[in-house]
Amino acid sequence: MEDDAPVIYGLEFQARALTAQTAETDAIRFLVGTQSLKFDNQIHIIDFDDENNIINKNVLLHQAGEIWHIAASPANKAVLSTCYNKTNDSKVMSCAAVWQMPSGWETGSHESADDSAQNPQTLELLFDLDSGTQHSSSCVLWEPMGDGKRVISLADNQALLWDLQESPTKATVSSTATLEGKGQLKFTSGKWSPHHNCSQLATANDTAIRGWDLRTMSQIYCVENAHGQLVRDLDFNPNRQYYLASCGDDCKVKFWDVRNVQEPVKTLEEHSHWVWSVRYNQSHDQLVLTASSDSRLILSNMVSISSEPFGHMVDDEELSEGEDNPQEEKVKEPLKDSVVSTYEEHEDSVYAAEWSSADPWLFASLSYDGRLVINRVPRALKYRILL
Amino acid sequence: MGTHWLCCGGFFWSELAMDADTDGSGGPDESGRRRKVHGMLKLYYGLDEEGKISEKSQSLDPCDINGPHFDPELYLNKLRRECSLAELMDQETCMVKQIRSLDSDMQTLVYENYNKFISATDTIRKMKNDFKKMEDEMDCLSANMAAITDFSANISGTLQDQHAQITKLSAVHTLLRKLQFLFELPARLNKCLELKAYAQAVSFHRRARCVLQQYSHLPSFKGIQDDCHAIMDMLAQELRQRFRDGGTSAKDLSECVELLLQLDEPAEELCDKFLSHARSRLEADLQGLEAEIRPYPTAVKDASARRSSAGSPTDSSPKTSSLPSPTPNTDILEFIDRGCNEFVSSLCLVIASYQELFINHAQTGELASKNIPQMANRKLHVFVDDLAAQYFSLVERRIQEEKGVSDNSLLVRALDRFHRRLQAVSKLLPNSTVPNQGTEIVIRAATERVKQYLAALQSFYMDSLTDVRQALAAPRLSVAGGTGSGGGPHLGGGATSRDAPNSLPELLSILSASILNQIKSVLASVHLFTAKDITFSNKPYFKGEFCSQGVRESLVVNFIKFVCQSSRQFCESAGDKGGSTPPALLLLLSRLCLDFETSTISYILTLTDEQFLVQHHSPVTPVTILCTEAREAAQKLLNHYVKVQGLNISQMLRKSVETRDWVNTIEPRNVRAVMKRVVEDATSIDVQVGLLYEEGVRKAHSSDSSKRTFSVYSSSRQQVRYAASYTPSAPMDTNLLSNIHKLFSERIDIFSSVEFNKVSVMTGIIKISLKTFLECVRLRTFGRYGLQQIQVDCHYLQMYLWRFVSDENLVHFLLDEIVGSCAHRCLDPSPMEQSVIEVICERG
């Protein structure tokens, strides 16, 4: 059977920010933030109808500025955070804020999908993540699988842990970690570890990866020179607590065991330009998605360092049942690390890629020219993993 | 009656003719006439040359006057019919003439025959008379013979008795003489003992022994026997003593052993004694050798002094060890020489004399029956093997000390001598394993040597790389150093670096030449192992495996692989940390590997194959695999070079974009310094690469590449279109124009493999740099003047970078993208006038 063709969605504006709506587990829904200096920026809520291969979209206005980073609350579907640039009197400021979607966005969307005249609704600001000092926020991280009450924002050389519990409209900084060192240090990205009771954070600055303990806000490990050049993104293996993937400007994707930071466990060199994003599949951690400014998206099958290095254990019974199925034969082959597929639908640099939170076999990628592509894991691989 | 006569006549006639032929004095005329007559007669009788009646010649023609079927009537009729009268007349006269001559011939023959008859009759009569006389004489002779026989019988009858008596007397005489010998034996033996004529004594005793044994029941004989025994025991004692002392010459010794054997001394014991005696001497030799190997050897310069003291090892070794000599180890040749001269030659001597004594000699004598040769042989083998093992272990220890690779000929000569001398042993002991073990030692030494050479080659290579590095680090070669700016950096950079004594091509040629020379010299050294005059070179190992596996595979091929691998390591180790390897070295190594691929490898391997006549019994690494490996290494190095250089430029660009406040910048007045630096660096890289790599192919330039204007029109048009068609997004591409543009331009792989030429390398570096520029621009926000500055910078890059790349459209495209992205990121996108940009750029 043919794999389903990718579904392409175009935005009018250039865009870098993409996230899956984490709290939503039924519908396949992605959030995209646009970048435009001249027009009101938007957040596109993109619903994908898997059965009919149809995209439904809703647009919310994000008038504060162009969006560099977007993240959805893991608890509340309607809450999301953005990092945006605000231009004021020829001054560019990077801010971070938590927003609430207007209550009626979902109801009005379906019938008015083709009604271009309708004005989009505007996001409601819940609160700014502003510590008072002049910082430019690079990203906002929600506590994974938390109740949406804890948020970390990375701003310049500081990691700020915010407590949202006290009031729905006010955030307070509960603790801060500061990166000390020579020169102007700046966090480029970070990831909140879902392991260890969500008490760890990994950040990237320049070529180093650092781990932090959120309880003491102190550094616990540091991978100096993790990449030859800038580290662009990080992701934690959802099943193996010490495994971390990173990518960077040296075109490489590296997999680390943070207990031994001298050498990466594995290195992928498939991209021909900077790698901007790396994402583990949340259900099947052998599937790794990487997006690069060589306009390619690569899906790799890293079996050897996954939580199921020997593949799915197959019973004899199951084997004998499926003997007439030729696909069953592939199960017996030893599984090797391999590039599953290279997706070339994009024509500009791909800055973001995300797995769907609802369907583990589906992912979206966003290139700078505003093209969002939704793809599926090839069926053959899917069945090999499942069966 | 008539025919018979004729026959007889024929016989005589032919005899006559033969007579005439033999005497040959008849003159030519006469013999010719006779032959003619003979021929005619023959014809008449129908005889051919051989005297046989020839059927063929018999003409059936009745008109043939000479034929047997001649019919006169027919002939006449025929003549009458055919001929004229005159002819008939002629015929007639001719025929009459013929008839007449035939008649006269016949008469002569008849007369001659008659005469011969008469003389024959006379002869027979005379013979009859002679025979009668002879008969009488024969009768007389037979009577005489009978008388003689009678007389002879008489005489022998009378002499019979006397003869018997004489025989008896002579037998008694012999016996008496024997008895006398026996009685005199003890005295004789004593005398012999006194005179030390042991051989004489033993032979006497041997002669008497059986008799004495036989008659030992007689008291007198018994006495003699006892006496003899006593004496012989003494003699044996004496002999043993001599044997034990061992100081005597080999000849004496062998005589000694021979006699002892004849005296029924147990052969085994003698063997043991002989061997143990020999062993003590040989071990002394070995100890002398061992003393030379010791870490602080006790090399005594005067080897002869040691040799003299070698007889008593117990006192020689402490003496020598107490003399710590400052001189280093004697060289291996000297060592082996000594081993050969002392140990091996005396071993051979021992073997030879032993075989002479116990094996060859015993085989002939009555001792052979006692299986002595076999026993002796066994003992000899054990003995030789044991000692040889000791010797070999010493030699091996010594060879292992031979680590320096400076002079291989010494080692080879030593090994050759070692091997050659062992051949003597193999001649003496055909079944011995010693020569084989020796060959194995030689083989081990050779393989060890090959390994050492490989290590030496490798360290040589690493050393030369270090040298190259130092040369590169020397300030005069800093090609990147300011080589002028603006339009003329090309020539300037080239000139300075070419003037430098250690320019890249020179370094490369020096490096590759020195590698090649080193390989050649190593091959020459190793080749000594297979030289014709070396005894072990014709062993199958040295003909086959040593050449193919040893030299070709483990030396040459491994070295080439090492070069490739160590080159690759420069890419890997330096990959992440960046810049630990100077880029010029990467470039140089890349070129080196490429040269290896194109020529050097095949040259080296051909050289090896030719020198060593390698017959490939076992599979060997083909040239192509090595070439591929070298090419891969070259490719990897060059890619890495591109990456490193691209990164250097990228870093500059990135810093310049990241650290500036693009919103609040002033109006551009000139090109930013960093762009000039980029162009300078690109130029110097171009020069650097151009020194080692060919130009390469580039697409045709447009007429005025540097003048090409590129503007933000397309992007600003997009903006306009955005505004006009601003609608809530529909699932379709709105960014049509730029996407269509991209559809038709090929996807650009930024970090892709490059080809082995300058243009490709430069294209790679520039691609990496510009793409970085693009990505950095996209991360920033620009003000109006920020955009204009980028415009100016891009135009400047445009002016200078196109000349380096294979396809200038690539530069245009990337710069377009940069300016386009910048316009996107601009708060107030009002581009600068193209003419102004040009003016600024021209101003530099």
Side-chain angles (χ1 to χ4, degrees):
Chain A
M1 215 195 327
E2 283 277 308
D3 282 324
D4 289 316
V7 180
I8 299 177
Y9 172 77
L11 287 83
E12 295 86 349
F13 300 117
Q14 288 164 336
R16 282 174 183 268
L18 169 74
T19 187
Q21 196 175 26
T22 327
E24 178 65 79
T25 49
D26 296 330
I28 299 164
R29 184 172 295 160
F30 293 99
L31 306 177
V32 181
T34 64
Q35 284 197 314
S36 172
L37 291 165
K38 293 157 198 88
F39 304 98
D40 279 343
N41 282 289
Q42 306 165 336
I43 288 186
H44 288 233
I45 302 165
I46 290 156
D47 278 281
F48 180 63
D49 185 345
D50 196 19
E51 291 184 4
N52 303 315
N53 250 17
I54 293 172
I55 283 179
N56 290 310
K57 61 104 189 42
N58 286 286
V59 179
L60 298 173
L61 285 183
H62 179 276
Q63 283 156 331
E66 53 174 5
I67 301 165
W68 288 86
H69 183 262
I70 189 168
S73 159
N76 187 345
K77 284 189 228 178
V79 174
L80 62 107
S81 66
T82 58
C83 295
Y84 57 93
N85 273 8
K86 199 160 62 180
T87 31
N88 246 343
D89 307 330
S90 70
K91 242 189 148 179
V92 179
M93 289 168 55
S94 301
C95 310
V98 178
W99 307 85
Q100 167 102 46
M101 299 182 191
S103 53
W105 68 270
E106 224 165 349
T107 51
S109 64
H110 287 294
E111 54 264 34
S112 62
D114 49 354
D115 184 2
S116 53
Q118 198 204 347
N119 280 331
Q121 290 174 287
T122 309
L123 278 174
E124 294 160 12
L125 177 71
L126 280 182
F127 41 80
D128 283 317
L129 295 174
D130 186 4
S131 58
T133 47
Q134 284 288 344
H135 281 307
S136 54
S137 303
S138 60
C139 70
V140 174
L141 309 168
W142 293 85
E143 183 181 22
M145 296 166 293
D147 53 2
K149 297 294 181 196
R150 295 216 297 171
V151 159
I152 293 173
S153 71
L154 298 178
D156 281 346
N157 64 340
Q158 283 195 317
L160 307 163
L161 178 60
W162 301 83
D163 198 343
L164 314 183
Q165 235 139 9
E166 282 179 19
S167 106
T169 53
K170 180 89 178 99
T172 51
V173 177
S174 60
S175 53
T176 325
T178 310
L179 183 60
E180 308 283 356
K182 279 192 286 181
Q184 272 203 321
L185 297 170
K186 190 172 186 297
F187 287 120
T188 47
S189 80
K191 205 78 186 177
W192 198 327
S193 165
H195 306 290
H196 312 290
N197 206 16
C198 295
S199 63
Q200 285 188 11
L201 171 74
T203 60
N205 68 294
D206 200 21
T207 61
I209 299 170
R210 285 162 208 279
W212 304 87
D213 189 332
L214 295 175
R215 293 165 297 189
T216 59
M217 280 310 216
S218 57
Q219 185 175 312
I220 44 178
Y221 56 83
C222 176
V223 189
E224 298 281 1
N225 286 318
H227 284 265
Q229 301 177 55
L230 208 64
V231 181
R232 290 277 170 195
D233 198 16
L234 301 166
D235 199 17
F236 280 98
N237 187 314
N239 299 324
R240 304 186 73 179
Q241 55 184 344
Y242 298 111
Y243 275 66
L244 176 70
S246 68
C247 59
D249 285 4
D250 57 358
C251 312
K252 290 175 186 167
V253 178
K254 294 188 179 180
F255 296 89
W256 303 88
D257 183 334
V258 298
R259 292 165 296 186
N260 174 22
V261 296
Q262 301 305 314
E263 285 291 318
V265 182
K266 199 100 189 168
T267 303
L268 281 181
E269 289 177 81
E270 301 295 338
H271 286 291
S272 70
H273 203 242
W274 306 352
V275 187
W276 287 77
S277 169
V278 58
R279 287 289 176 270
Y280 274 110
N281 186 306
Q282 292 301 303
S283 310
H284 306 283
D285 58 14
Q286 60 267 55
L287 298 177
V288 177
L289 205 54
T290 52
S292 155
S293 42
D294 63 359
S295 314
R296 289 193 184 93
L297 183 70
I298 291 182
L299 175 62
S300 308
N301 188 8
M302 305 303 293
V303 185
S304 68
I305 51 171
S306 75
S307 55
E308 286 185 337
F310 305 107
H312 187 71
M313 296 304 167
V314 183
D315 292 335
D316 290 342
E317 215 177 312
E318 278 180 78
L319 266 180
S320 57
E321 275 171 20
E323 244 169 3
D324 49 329
N325 189 346
Q327 221 133 40
E328 206 67 26
E329 299 294 315
K330 286 181 184 166
V331 175
K332 294 172 196 165
E333 288 170 17
L335 299 163
K336 283 183 196 143
D337 295 348
S338 61
V339 170
V340 177
S341 188
T342 304
Y343 299 94
E344 314 220 357
E345 279 85 19
H346 293 288
E347 266 139 24
D348 206 333
S349 304
V350 187
Y351 293 130
E354 284 289 347
W355 292 95
S356 163
S357 54
D359 181 350
W361 307 109
L362 197 121
F363 52 89
S365 55
L366 180 67
S367 57
Y368 190 61
D369 54 5
R371 180 181 292 191
L372 179 84
V373 178
I374 295 179
N375 263 304
R376 293 182 183 83
V377 176
R379 268 167 214 273
L381 177 67
K382 177 174 168 180
Y383 290 136
R384 205 191 307 168
I385 291 171
L386 283 178
L387 296 175
Chain B
M1 185 73 190
T3 49
H4 183 246
W5 182 81
L6 265 173
C7 275
C8 284
F11 166 72
F12 275 102
W13 172 231
S14 66
E15 197 176 55
L16 253 177
M18 274 162 71
D19 281 349
D21 275 351
T22 46
D23 84 16
S25 57
D29 283 351
E30 200 185 349
S31 73
R33 195 186 60 84
R34 277 197 190 167
R35 202 165 277 148
K36 194 178 157 197
V37 171
H38 187 189
M40 288 174 77
L41 275 166
K42 246 183 169 175
L43 247 142
Y44 179 78
Y45 290 113
L47 293 171
D48 67 4
E49 291 298 318
E50 282 82 31
K52 274 196 275 178
I53 295 168
S54 149
E55 298 294 325
K56 269 190 192 164
S57 64
Q58 281 180 352
S59 162
L60 293 173
D61 186 4
C63 299
D64 182 0
I65 200 160
N66 292 325
H69 299 281
F70 180 62
D71 188 341
E73 211 54 46
L74 273 172
Y75 183 65
L76 209 59
N77 286 341
K78 190 180 169 228
L79 281 177
R80 264 200 306 242
R81 251 183 290 136
E82 291 173 355
C83 304
S84 63
L85 183 65
E87 275 173 342
L88 280 175
M89 291 300 286
D90 285 350
Q91 191 81 25
E92 197 212 349
T93 50
C94 172
M95 208 172 288
V96 168
K97 227 186 253 173
Q98 279 182 0
I99 290 167
R100 252 182 224 149
S101 80
L102 279 175
D103 270 346
S104 75
D105 281 352
M106 193 148 63
Q107 273 175 12
T108 326
L109 283 173
V110 170
Y111 177 72
E112 278 172 3
N113 261 337
Y114 181 68
N115 264 351
K116 284 193 176 144
F117 257 118
I118 287 168
S119 71
T121 323
D122 284 352
T123 314
I124 289 166
R125 193 177 298 136
K126 206 173 158 193
M127 269 170 70
K128 229 183 214 166
N129 286 337
D130 289 351
F131 271 122
K132 190 158 276 173
K133 215 164 127 189
M134 211 157 76
E135 218 165 80
D136 292 346
E137 280 173 5
M138 284 305 287
D139 285 346
C140 180
L141 183 68
S142 72
N144 286 346
M145 283 307 292
I148 289 166
T149 316
D150 282 351
F151 279 128
S152 156
N154 260 342
I155 290 164
S156 58
T158 38
L159 286 180
Q160 188 77 45
D161 293 342
Q162 276 177 334
H163 177 78
Q165 267 182 338
I166 286 167
T167 315
K168 204 172 164 188
L169 279 174
S170 110
V172 170
H173 177 75
T174 317
L175 188 65
L176 282 174
R177 268 176 63 186
K178 277 186 184 166
L179 279 174
Q180 190 187 10
F181 172 74
L182 281 180
F183 288 127
E184 285 175 2
L185 186 60
R188 271 172 195 254
L189 288 177
N190 271 331
K191 186 123 189 193
C192 284
L193 207 57
E194 272 171 35
L195 294 173
K196 295 194 186 286
Y198 302 119
Q200 189 75 32
V202 171
S203 78
F204 285 153
H205 179 246
R206 267 180 65 205
R207 272 157 66 189
R209 195 162 51 185
C210 301
V211 184
L212 289 172
Q213 191 66 37
Q214 199 177 345
Y215 297 101
S216 56
H217 56 280
L218 298 176
S220 53
F221 283 108
K222 180 78 181 163
I224 292 169
Q225 194 184 16
D226 291 347
D227 285 354
C228 284
H229 269 301
I231 293 165
M232 288 321 284
D233 282 349
M234 245 164 72
L235 187 122
Q237 209 64 40
E238 186 95 349
L239 282 175
R240 267 184 231 128
Q241 189 56 45
R242 264 174 77 176
F243 182 65
R244 213 169 289 134
D245 284 352
T248 48
S249 71
K251 201 177 159 203
D252 285 353
L253 203 66
S254 72
E255 193 186 277
C256 215
V257 170
E258 197 179 322
L259 294 176
L260 281 171
L261 276 177
Q262 282 176 0
L263 287 175
D264 278 349
E265 198 72 13
E268 205 165 336
E269 207 174 291
L270 278 180
C271 291
D272 286 345
K273 271 186 189 158
F274 184 86
L275 290 180
S276 73
H277 181 68
R279 179 186 294 268
S280 72
R281 272 183 303 167
L282 289 170
E283 273 174 355
D285 285 345
L286 286 176
Q287 264 166 6
L289 284 175
E290 193 174 4
E292 288 196 30
I293 310 179
R294 284 190 189 131
Y296 268 107
T298 56
V300 176
K301 279 183 183 161
D302 187 7
S304 63
R306 172 179 296 223
R307 209 168 290 141
S308 66
S309 67
S312 51
T314 43
D315 61 7
S316 79
S317 49
K319 191 167 76 190
T320 46
S321 59
S322 67
L323 286 170
S325 165
T327 53
N329 256 343
T330 47
D331 67 40
I332 183 149
L333 188 61
E334 210 171 303
F335 174 84
I336 294 284
D337 244 0
R338 206 179 138 178
C340 291
N341 288 338
E342 291 177 8
F343 174 79
V344 179
S345 56
S346 37
L347 181 69
C348 287
L349 220 66
V350 167
I351 293 171
S353 52
Y354 181 92
Q355 281 180 325
E356 183 60 33
L357 291 179
F358 296 104
I359 298 172
N360 299 346
H361 191 74
Q363 264 164 354
T364 54
E366 75 274 23
L367 296 166
S369 55
K370 297 182 192 168
N371 277 343
I372 284 176
Q374 284 86 337
M375 182 275 301
N377 226 339
R378 229 169 25 242
K379 277 190 188 301
L380 181 61
H381 275 281
V382 171
F383 169 77
V384 170
D385 287 352
D386 185 27
L387 279 173
Q390 288 183 32
Y391 173 58
F392 288 158
S393 76
L394 285 178
V395 170
E396 256 185 307
R397 264 169 61 191
R398 181 66 185 86
I399 290 173
Q400 273 163 14
E401 278 178 24
E402 203 64 12
K403 290 292 181 217
V405 289
S406 52
D407 191 4
N408 195 40
S409 64
L410 210 61
L411 175 73
V412 174
R413 261 163 57 207
L415 287 175
D416 176 42
R417 203 155 296 174
F418 169 73
H419 190 260
R420 200 190 294 270
R421 294 301 282 263
L422 286 179
Q423 298 311 307
V425 178
S426 81
K427 267 181 208 132
L428 288 168
L429 275 180
N431 297 327
S432 171
T433 56
V434 170
N436 287 340
Q437 285 170 355
T439 312
E440 271 165 30
I441 286 182
V442 173
I443 288 172
R444 274 201 292 278
T447 44
E448 189 58 37
R449 206 82 246 255
V450 167
K451 273 185 206 149
Q452 285 170 9
Y453 271 119
L454 178 63
L457 270 181
Q458 290 176 347
S459 71
F460 171 81
Y461 175 67
M462 293 320 280
D463 288 350
S464 1
L465 280 194
T466 316
D467 290 350
V468 170
R469 256 183 131 126
Q470 275 163 1
L472 286 175
R476 59 192 160 192
L477 195 75
S478 61
V479 183
T483 52
S485 60
H490 224 108
L491 286 170
T496 50
S497 69
R498 233 164 258 141
D499 288 343
N502 290 332
S503 70
L504 276 180
E506 270 176 46
L507 279 174
L508 175 70
S509 66
I510 289 170
L511 179 63
S512 61
S514 66
I515 288 174
L516 209 58
N517 278 338
Q518 195 70 12
I519 288 177
K520 275 183 188 164
S521 74
V522 163
L523 280 181
S525 306
V526 174
H527 193 247
L528 290 174
F529 280 108
T530 59
K532 283 220 170 57
D533 55 338
I534 303 294
T535 45
F536 52 74
S537 68
N538 58 3
K539 293 273 168 198
Y541 171 79
F542 281 97
K543 279 189 161 172
E545 205 186 338
F546 178 75
C547 293
S548 64
Q549 291 304 315
V551 175
R552 192 182 190 274
E553 291 298 297
S554 48
L555 186 64
V556 178
V557 172
N558 271 356
F559 177 65
I560 293 169
K561 283 185 175 167
F562 172 79
V563 169
C564 294
Q565 274 159 9
S566 67
S567 307
R568 279 154 170 255
Q569 274 166 4
F570 281 111
C571 304
E572 277 147 23
S573 62
D576 289 342
K577 321 295 180 239
S580 68
T581 315
L585 182 63
L586 292 174
L587 191 69
L588 187 100
L589 285 178
S590 157
R591 182 72 220 190
L592 182 73
C593 286
L594 193 66
D595 287 347
F596 262 59
E597 189 250 339
T598 47
S599 58
T600 315
I601 288 178
S602 56
Y603 173 70
I604 293 172
L605 285 185
T606 319
L607 193 75
T608 314
D609 288 357
E610 272 171 6
Q611 275 196 9
F612 290 87
L613 301 169
V614 178
Q615 297 145 339
H616 302 305
H617 299 298
S618 46
V620 293
T621 320
V623 181
T624 48
I625 285 186
L626 290 175
C627 285
T628 325
E629 198 163 319
R631 195 180 178 85
E632 277 168 11
Q635 182 76 63
K636 201 165 176 190
L637 283 162
L638 195 62
N639 287 349
H640 192 65
Y641 175 76
V642 168
K643 220 166 174 173
V644 168
Q645 293 288 30
L647 185 66
N648 288 342
I649 296 182
S650 297
Q651 290 290 18
M652 274 190 311
L653 286 169
R654 184 215 291 265
K655 286 270 146 57
S656 78
V657 176
E658 278 178 357
T659 51
R660 197 172 173 128
D661 180 2
W662 290 98
V663 180
N664 301 311
T665 185
I666 50 159
E667 190 173 359
R669 301 207 176 277
N670 43 30
V671 180
R672 282 190 299 150
V674 70
M675 293 302 155
K676 291 180 182 166
R677 182 77 201 279
V678 166
V679 172
E680 272 168 26
D681 279 8
T683 311
S684 63
I685 291 168
D686 185 64
V687 170
Q688 196 177 47
V689 178
L691 290 175
L692 293 181
Y693 278 99
E694 295 76 33
E695 181 74 20
V697 216
R698 60 174 91 218
K699 291 187 183 166
H701 298 137
S702 61
S703 51
D704 54 346
S705 297
S706 58
K707 297 283 186 220
R708 180 181 170 277
T709 62
F710 63 112
S711 63
V712 291
Y713 284 153
S714 64
S715 37
S716 49
R717 256 207 314 275
Q718 273 182 349
Q719 298 294 332
V720 172
R721 194 170 42 80
Y722 282 151
S725 69
Y726 177 65
T727 51
S729 315
M732 61 166 287
D733 254 347
T734 48
N735 218 346
L736 210 57
L737 201 72
S738 85
N739 279 338
I740 285 175
H741 172 66
K742 281 177 189 168
L743 262 178
F744 289 102
S745 61
E746 275 176 39
R747 191 184 280 271
I748 301 165
D749 270 341
I750 304 303
F751 288 104
S752 55
S753 264
V754 292
E755 288 162 31
F756 294 107
N757 59 55
K758 190 180 85 177
V759 167
S760 178
V761 169
M762 291 310 294
T763 309
I765 292 170
I766 288 171
K767 264 194 314 193
I768 291 172
S769 312
L770 293 186
K771 178 76 175 176
T772 305
F773 196 11
L774 172 68
E775 292 294 339
C776 291
V777 162
R778 284 180 173 185
L779 287 171
R780 303 286 297 178
T781 309
F782 294 84
R784 175 177 172 185
Y785 297 131
L787 169 65
Q788 292 182 354
Q789 181 69 62
I790 294 290
Q791 273 184 288
V792 169
D793 291 350
C794 284
H795 187 80
Y796 182 79
L797 290 180
Q798 168 73 34
M799 277 166 63
Y800 291 108
L801 291 187
W802 64 267
R803 63 175 112 235
F804 299 126
V805 298
S806 62
D807 181 6
E808 59 184 288
N809 287 329
L810 188 92
V811 176
H812 299 160
F813 174 73
L814 281 168
L815 290 173
D816 267 351
E817 283 269 304
I818 292 169
V819 176
S821 293
C822 185
H824 264 295
R825 304 284 319 143
C826 183
L827 295 168
D828 177 18
S830 50
M832 193 180 240
E833 282 292 315
Q834 185 62 31
S835 56
V836 181
I837 296 176
E838 277 166 26
V839 167
I840 293 175
C841 288
E842 298 293 317
R843 214 169 50 199

